Amino acid sequence: MGDIVVVGAGLAGLTAARVLTQSGRRVRVLEAGEQVGGRVMSRMVEGYTLDAGYQVLFPAYPALRRNVDLAALDLVPIAPAGVVRRGERADVLGDPRRDPASLPSTLTTKALTLADKARVARLAARLALPAPHTLLVGPDETTESYLRRQGFSEGALTNFFRPFFGGIFLRRDLHTSARLFRYYFRMLLDGGAALPRAGIGELPRQLAAGLDVTTGVQVTALRPRPEGVTLVTGAGELDASSVLVATDADTAAALTGEPLSRGRLGSTYLHYASGTRLDPQPRLLLNAEEGFINNAQWVSEAIPERAPAGGHLLTVTVLGLPDLDDDALDARVRGELGRWYGAGAAGLRTLHVERIPFAQFPQPPEYAATLAGHATGLPGVLLASEVTSMSSVQGAMESGEKAAAILLGDPVGMSRPRGA
C-alpha cells in the first residue's frame, strides 16, 4: 500500500495525518512554508511571545478534545469577561460563575441595563440545553437580527456584542450566521476560553509530533494515474496512493480545480511592549467607541510568561486591513490608546504590526448550504479544509478527521455531525 500524502500542515492537514497514522497508515505531510500550523503560529520578538493575530482556544471544541492532550498544552484560562472601554472609563462585564471578581462591576455597571443582564442569563440557560451541534442547524438569520429578537437593546449590541463577537467573527456588524453565534456562545458556556502558556503555536506542534512532515516543499500540480496520484513539487515528483489537500482555499482550488473560494476576511494586529504597568487588567478590553481598535488585551497580565522580566505585552485587534501604512495605523491606534491611558500610552513600543489577509471566510446566514464537500473531481484526491465546515479551530480539525475517516472507511467518523 503506497503512502498517503497530505498537502498542507495547518490544523486540518495535521489532524488528518494524525488520525491516519494512528490507524496504521503511512502518511507524509508536505508543507510549503517553513513551519507547521499555517496561520496558527507564534513568534518570539525581543523576548515577547506573539501569537499570529489574537487567537484563543475554546477548550470545549469536541474535535480539539478528541485529538489534543489539553493538559500538555498547559492552557491558561482567559476570564470569560469583557471590559467595556469608553475613554478612561472601564466597566467589567463577566460570568460570576467562572470569574467571581467580576460580580460587583457586572451587577452595578450601566454598560448593560438590568433588563439586558437578565436577557443574557435567559439566553445562556436556553442555549445550555440542547446538544451543541444541533445549534448549527435549523432556520438561520444574522446574529444582529437574532439578538434583537431576544430583546437586547442597542446599548447591549454596541457595548458588548459588537466588539466581543466582532473579535470572533472579524466583523463588527453582527451579520454573521446566528447559528454560529449560538454555537460559539455554547462553547464559551461549556469550557470558556484559554491560551497555551507558551503560545498558540504549541497546538500545531503537538499535532505534528511523531508525524512525517517535510517543510519548504510546495506542491504545484496533481496528476491522477491508474494506481494513485502523482504530486508535482518544487523538489521533484512524488507518487501517492491518495492525496488530501489541506491548504488555503485559493491554493486548494488551483490544485483541484474545484470552486472553493468563499471570499476572505482580513484582520490586523498591533503588538506593543511597555516598561511600565499601564493597566493591571487581564480581561479582554472591548472598545465601545468608534475607532480602529475593536478589542485589546494585556496578554502579559493573563500570562506573565509571554513577556520578559519587567516587560508588559499589549495586543490590539483592528478589524479588516486599513488602507494606511503601518506607521500611520500605529499612530491612529496610539491616539485611541491615549484616550484610555493618557500620557502613559506614549511609552508603548511597537513590537510588530501584522496584517493577515485571510483570517476567516465570510459566514453569513445560510452559508452552510454553500460549503464544499470533501470529494474533488480528481480521482484519489480529497479535500481537508475548514471550507467544508466553519472557519475555526473546530472547523479545520473536524474536516481533517472526516477526510481521514473517508479514506479509512470509518462510518462513525464519516457520519459525525458538523460541530459534534
Side-chain angles (χ1 to χ4, degrees), residues 55-353:
Q55 302 189 50
V56 297
L57 286 178
F58 293 171
Y61 276 150
L64 188 69
R65 289 178 175 269
R66 284 191 293 269
N67 294 281
V68 172
D69 181 347
L70 293 178
L73 282 182
D74 193 11
L75 293 176
V76 178
I78 302 299
V83 181
V84 179
R85 294 295 314 229
R86 286 186 176 275
E88 295 181 354
R89 179 166 181 165
D91 293 294
V92 177
L93 291 171
D95 179 353
R97 298 172 304 165
R98 289 197 180 95
D99 185 13
S102 70
L103 179 60
S105 178
T106 300
L107 290 176
T108 60
T109 179
K110 291 183 172 56
L112 286 187
T113 66
L114 286 174
D116 282 325
K117 294 171 190 175
R119 292 181 186 109
V120 170
R122 286 198 298 271
L123 180 63
R126 185 181 307 122
L127 295 183
L129 292 175
H133 71 272
T134 64
L135 298 173
L136 290 170
V137 298
D140 206 359
E141 61 189 308
T142 68
T143 296
E144 178 180 8
S145 171
Y146 175 75
L147 291 171
R148 290 190 186 280
R149 284 201 303 105
Q150 309 311 306
F152 286 103
S153 69
E154 185 62 41
L157 269 60
T158 298
N159 292 335
F160 178 73
F161 287 107
R162 293 192 193 281
F164 187 89
F165 282 91
I168 296 174
F169 295 148
L170 300 187
R171 53 188 304 170
R172 201 173 168 110
D173 59 12
L174 297 178
H175 286 181
T176 300
S177 162
R179 294 176 185 166
L180 274 181
F181 166 80
R182 292 190 288 265
Y183 183 76
Y184 292 146
F185 196 102
R186 174 60 180 273
M187 291 297 100
L188 285 166
L189 286 176
D190 286 353
L195 285 169
R197 192 178 303 275
I200 196 69
E202 293 301 302
L203 173 57
R205 274 194 285 274
Q206 185 186 127
L207 288 171
L211 299 180
D212 180 1
V213 180
T214 304
T215 59
V217 176
Q218 183 172 9
V219 176
T220 57
L222 301 173
R223 294 203 300 259
R225 51 191 175 82
E227 65 276 19
V229 182
T230 297
L231 298 93
V232 181
T233 81
E237 294 188 355
L238 174 68
D239 290 336
S241 61
S242 301
V243 172
L244 295 184
V245 177
T247 65
D248 64 89
D250 290 345
T251 301
L255 289 174
T256 65
E258 299 292 327
L260 299 174
S261 177
R262 295 294 181 272
R264 58 179 60 194
L265 294 174
S267 198
T268 305
Y269 304 88
L270 297 93
H271 303 274
Y272 294 100
S274 175
T276 58
R277 194 184 191 199
L278 292 182
D279 191 343
Q281 180 58 258
R283 301 177 180 88
L284 188 66
L285 308 175
L286 307 175
N287 185 18
E289 299 182 306
E290 294 292 326
F292 282 91
I293 298 174
N294 182 73
N295 57 275
Q297 186 182 31
W298 286 95
V299 179
S300 55
E301 292 295 330
I303 311 175
E305 295 86 349
R306 294 288 189 93
H312 305 273
L313 173 63
L314 174 66
T315 295
V316 173
T317 299
V318 174
L319 302 182
L321 303 170
D323 189 19
L324 298 170
D325 63 30
D326 287 355
D327 289 341
L329 178 61
D330 184 26
R332 298 290 290 272
V333 169
R334 285 174 176 273
E336 294 177 23
L337 291 172
R339 286 182 44 76
W340 296 4
Y341 300 121
L348 293 170
R349 185 163 54 86
T350 308
L351 290 170
H352 185 60
V353 177

Side-chain angles (χ1 to χ4, degrees), residues 22-36:
Q22 290 173 342
S23 297
R25 305 297 292 271
R26 293 189 312 183
V27 184
R28 293 189 63 185
V29 182
L30 303 181
E31 166 57 44
E34 296 303 321
Q35 63 184 27
V36 300

